[in-house]
Amino acid sequence: MILTVTANPSLDRTVRLEGPLVPGQVHRLVDSVTVAAGKGVNISAVLHAAGAATLAVVPAGADDPLLAGLVRDGVPHLGVPVTGPVRINLTVTAPDGTTTKFNEPGARLDGPQLRALEQAVLAAALNGAAPSPSPIRSTGPHIDAGSVSGSGSGTAAGSGGRAGDDSPEWVVMTGSLPPGVPADWYASMVARLREQLGLSGVRIAVDTSDAPLAALVSRCPECAPDLIAPNSTELAQVCGGDSAQMEARAAAGDLSAAIEAARALVGKGIREVLVTLGGAGALLVGRDSSWHVVTGPVDVRSTVGAGDAALAGLLLARDRGADAPTALRTAVAYGTAAVCMPGTGRPSAEQAAAVSVSVNRCR
């Protein structure tokens, strides 16, 4: 089972324009779609659709539309009660695929509510989740979070019992942090998970940016996760350099800057680094090897959720025992399929399988 943690989930509202976005003008929308989202939620949704066992941990009130959306989408989840509403993120998509995002900061999360989230994550990482015979809603079987966290606070829901009894093989902590949560929260949670799980073999992935990513890297190797998944901008944030130049060089066939930066992170104790490079493909850099994957040109409709889909593909492959090049090939196939979809891209296994990719080992 793959456990995802989204400390700052969202309702992602995507609107499509008839023409280019022009500031100061009135625009007519082609359509509007809202989905329960956040990086970990997106990952769990893709995993669930691919038939993998997953559980998405999210802070959200019992009546929040986020939980209703997760039930509607059939994504197994554990809701940890909070008082503030889940934020709304707006994505505006132009006909040429250009996306403009407006992200709310999220409700404040601190004190007892933050501790409840931490306890739920630690308990689920250790014990998984056990189905309860008493459904709370008529839309599907649910789990009492008290059986997971020991706190009795929160509800978990599943579809067809996908959130099973087994402990997770992966704990994946993702996204921005809401107000009130310290920037080094991911680093602290990695340390607490390592202390609790010991030599259990559970692997930890973190996908974040800005101050939380910098704080995580600054506390390596003692808080090093097994996997991080930066894009070129995020890689430059913690390793220096110019992200646009890095992508341009990669597109021209020179991957040295990106590989060197990723290897610096591996040298800090991170087992693997998945680097997405936009149209230049992606890299998977580990202790003993580096791999690069590219695809042919595609018609980009929206980039929202593409990185999450790529990480989901990598986790799916790794969870099924794939080697590094196969895992990277799967990641890029899912990410590429996602950009060909409108709104928040959550491709199916069939859509990912239709993507042609080429993988090469780097020197």
Side-chain angles (χ1 to χ4, degrees):
M1 192 262 282
I2 297 174
L3 179 73
T4 67
V5 181
T6 310
N8 201 14
S10 62
L11 291 169
D12 276 7
R13 181 168 297 157
T14 301
V15 299
R16 288 197 300 138
L17 301 179
E18 293 180 332
L21 176 65
V22 181
Q25 299 297 312
V26 174
H27 296 81
R28 296 189 182 279
L29 305 180
V30 176
D31 56 31
S32 174
V33 177
T34 301
V35 298
K39 294 183 73 65
V41 170
N42 295 337
I43 291 168
S44 282
V46 172
L47 292 171
H48 177 72
T54 186
L55 182 69
V57 179
V58 292
D63 296 325
D64 197 287
L66 178 88
L67 297 188
L70 290 171
V71 170
R72 182 185 63 248
D73 295 340
V75 179
H77 60 279
L78 171 65
V80 181
V82 294
T83 56
V86 167
R87 62 185 178 146
I88 297 176
N89 290 343
L90 175 65
T91 299
V92 181
T93 303
D96 65 355
T98 301
T99 57
T100 304
K101 297 193 67 174
F102 302 86
N103 291 350
E104 293 184 357
R108 189 170 185 83
L109 186 66
D110 56 12
Q113 295 182 134
L114 180 57
R115 289 193 293 272
L117 175 62
E118 294 169 349
Q119 291 166 5
V121 171
L122 294 169
L126 185 64
N127 302 316
S132 165
S134 302
I136 295 174
R137 298 188 186 93
S138 61
T139 50
H142 289 253
I143 310 163
D144 180 354
S147 67
V148 177
S149 66
S151 65
S153 61
T155 59
S159 175
R162 280 191 177 276
D165 303 302
D166 296 337
S167 298
E169 290 79 29
W170 281 93
V171 178
V172 186
M173 298 184 288
T174 64
S176 63
L177 296 174
V181 179
D184 66 349
W185 189 75
Y186 286 128
S188 297
M189 287 300 294
V190 170
R192 293 177 68 179
L193 285 164
R194 294 281 190 223
E195 180 180 6
Q196 173 177 281
L197 299 173
L199 300 177
S200 66
V202 176
R203 290 165 288 181
I204 302 172
V206 179
D207 185 13
T208 188
S209 60
D210 301 317
L213 178 61
L216 176 68
V217 172
S218 72
R219 290 181 57 180
C220 289
E222 61 270 19
C223 297
D226 295 285
L227 172 69
I228 64 171
N231 57 30
S232 60
T233 299
E234 294 155 356
L235 187 64
Q237 286 176 349
V238 291
C239 295
D242 183 282
S243 61
Q245 186 179 60
M246 188 182 297
E247 284 198 14
R249 289 176 60 181
D254 181 3
L255 298 165
S256 58
I259 292 174
E260 182 180 352
R263 282 178 176 164
L265 296 176
V266 172
K268 292 179 178 291
I270 300 169
R271 188 178 299 273
E272 286 187 314
V273 181
L274 171 65
V275 183
T276 51
L277 295 166
L283 288 165
L284 184 61
V285 178
R287 295 173 181 173
D288 302 319
S289 63
S290 301
W291 300 86
H292 178 234
V293 162
V294 293
T295 67
V298 296
D299 181 16
V300 176
R301 301 185 66 184
S302 172
T303 59
V304 180
D308 306 332
L311 181 52
L314 182 80
L315 293 166
L316 181 66
R318 279 302 203 195
D319 191 52
R320 294 175 175 174
D323 58 13
T326 302
L328 181 58
R329 181 184 295 111
T330 307
V332 173
Y334 269 91
T336 302
V339 303
C340 298
M341 304 173 68
T344 301
R346 295 174 176 176
S348 66
E350 293 75 18
Q351 288 170 313
V355 176
S356 176
V357 299
S358 174
V359 58
N360 296 286
R361 186 164 189 162
C362 304
R363 293 181 178 179

